[in-house]
Amino acid sequence: MIFRTTVRAALLTALLSSTSLSALAAETDYRNDHLLTTAAELVTAIGQETTESALDAENDLVIVDVRPADAFAEGHIPGAVQLDPDAVADPDAPVGGTLRALEDLAALIGDLGISADTQVVLYDDKGGFHAARMFWLLEYLGHRNVQLLDGGIQAWTAAEQTLATGAGKSPTPQRFAPAVTPRRYASADYILAHREDDDTLVIDVRPSNLFAKGHIPWAQSIPWKGNLEEDLTMKPADELIDHFAAHGVTADRNIVIHCQNGLASAHSYFALRLIGHPQVRTYHRSWAEWGTADDLPKAGSAG
């Protein structure tokens, strides 16, 4: 299998297509369609004979299955490596969803076989709910060559592609050097500092019933599940644009997204990046921090 050639050809095609916005719009309407891949495109990228040996192909491509180990063992995309959905969160932090220390995150990512030159494809079985946090994290840490598999593992099996079973083959560890991108991150202090800024919009992507119980007073409620079709693929670009624009989310505004603990917010972060919003930040400590802090303002029935 000529693995490196197929991957590089796929990457070149994506790069070339992204240079022509008019051609891109005619094909998918996603301004940043290179952030999303399909099962058919992934098959092309890794070759027709998808085997665990894909992990030995000089790390051109790493496919990360963001599901628990038992689900991975029952069936995964051949050649994928497994990452627990909460592996990036610090289990000892007082605020749920708090990220591990930077050096620990770098080691975790490197142990997946990811280096600066690696193309990364992420998937799960929840429409990207878990995979999107890794997408946001990799972008926040400066890794640009990362995609989500549209529809996750369900799309892979619907395309009649085979699954591998068992623990899989361990990847060859790589050196991952983070290049933190501050414009992808927001803190509680950042949100407070921009409270009176008309160009900054805070959106809460939790379910509407949780928003009603308590929320940041100037936040807009835009539940994350509105990003998905029933088959767990992303909605078309025009529907996503309308979905967000109805709440004042336009490409010229600085958008800050939060949820409960950094998972759902990352999904809407991905959706906005996909349709071309350049100024998007995730408040990953989210309501787990804001909702329990006595000195932060709150609205809602429990506020």
Side-chain angles (χ1 to χ4, degrees):
M1 175 171 53
I2 307 176
F3 182 84
R4 297 181 65 190
T5 301
T6 55
V7 170
R8 285 175 178 166
L11 287 174
L12 180 60
T13 299
L15 288 171
L16 288 174
S17 65
S18 67
T19 62
S20 174
L21 293 181
S22 59
L24 190 61
E27 183 179 353
T28 67
D29 291 334
Y30 297 124
R31 183 163 186 175
N32 288 329
D33 79 330
H34 61 283
L35 302 179
L36 192 67
T37 192
T38 66
E41 290 167 341
L42 187 56
V43 169
T44 299
I46 62 180
Q48 295 300 318
E49 297 179 8
T50 53
T51 68
E52 299 293 342
S53 64
L55 294 172
D56 296 327
E58 300 189 32
N59 299 95
D60 282 323
L61 171 66
V62 170
I63 305 167
V64 184
D65 183 316
V66 193
R67 297 182 298 153
D70 56 350
F72 180 87
E74 290 177 5
H76 56 268
I77 294 176
V81 296
Q82 186 266 338
L83 179 68
D84 189 85
D86 289 323
V88 301
D90 183 351
D92 300 320
V95 175
T98 300
L99 295 175
R100 293 181 182 273
L102 185 61
E103 59 270 23
D104 294 335
L105 292 173
L108 182 151
I109 293 168
D111 286 347
L112 293 172
I114 298 171
S115 68
D117 299 323
T118 306
Q119 178 191 9
V120 181
V121 175
L122 306 159
Y123 75 90
D124 57 30
D125 57 1
K126 299 184 182 300
F129 181 73
H130 289 123
R133 177 162 64 176
M134 277 305 295
F135 176 90
W136 166 75
L137 181 61
L138 285 168
E139 286 212 325
Y140 172 55
L141 298 182
H143 195 75
R144 300 290 179 258
N145 197 359
V146 55
Q147 300 174 301
L148 288 192
L149 174 60
D150 196 18
I153 196 166
Q154 294 93 331
W156 182 263
T157 55
E160 301 183 346
Q161 297 300 314
T162 60
L163 297 175
T165 57
K169 187 174 182 178
S170 298
T172 301
Q174 301 291 314
R175 179 179 179 274
F176 181 83
V180 173
T181 308
R183 65 188 178 90
R184 297 302 182 197
Y185 166 85
S187 64
D189 287 341
Y190 179 91
I191 292 174
L192 285 172
H194 290 78
R195 180 175 184 172
E196 304 298 330
D197 180 5
D198 291 338
D199 291 330
T200 297
L201 179 65
V202 178
I203 64 176
D204 182 331
V205 301
R206 296 175 300 156
S208 56
N209 64 314
L210 294 182
F211 180 86
K213 290 180 180 178
H215 58 267
I216 297 173
W218 54 96
Q220 291 279 345
S221 175
I222 314 177
W224 75 276
K225 286 191 176 180
N227 304 330
L228 294 173
E229 299 277 35
E230 290 186 4
D231 64 356
L232 301 182
T233 58
M234 297 298 296
K235 283 186 174 178
D238 57 347
E239 293 186 28
L240 286 176
I241 291 169
D242 290 345
H243 170 61
F244 287 108
H247 299 275
V249 182
T250 53
D252 59 331
R253 301 187 78 177
N254 180 32
I255 308 302
V256 181
I257 311 171
H258 86 86
C259 58
Q260 185 65 33
N261 56 12
L263 283 166
S265 57
H267 196 279
S268 289
Y269 169 91
F270 174 79
L272 287 170
R273 290 278 292 112
L274 184 63
I275 59 177
H277 285 250
Q279 303 177 90
V280 189
R281 299 169 182 262
T282 291
Y283 171 35
H284 82 273
R285 293 164 71 95
S286 288
W287 192 251
E289 176 180 69
W290 194 286
T292 57
D294 293 336
D295 59 341
L296 295 174
K298 303 169 187 65
S301 60

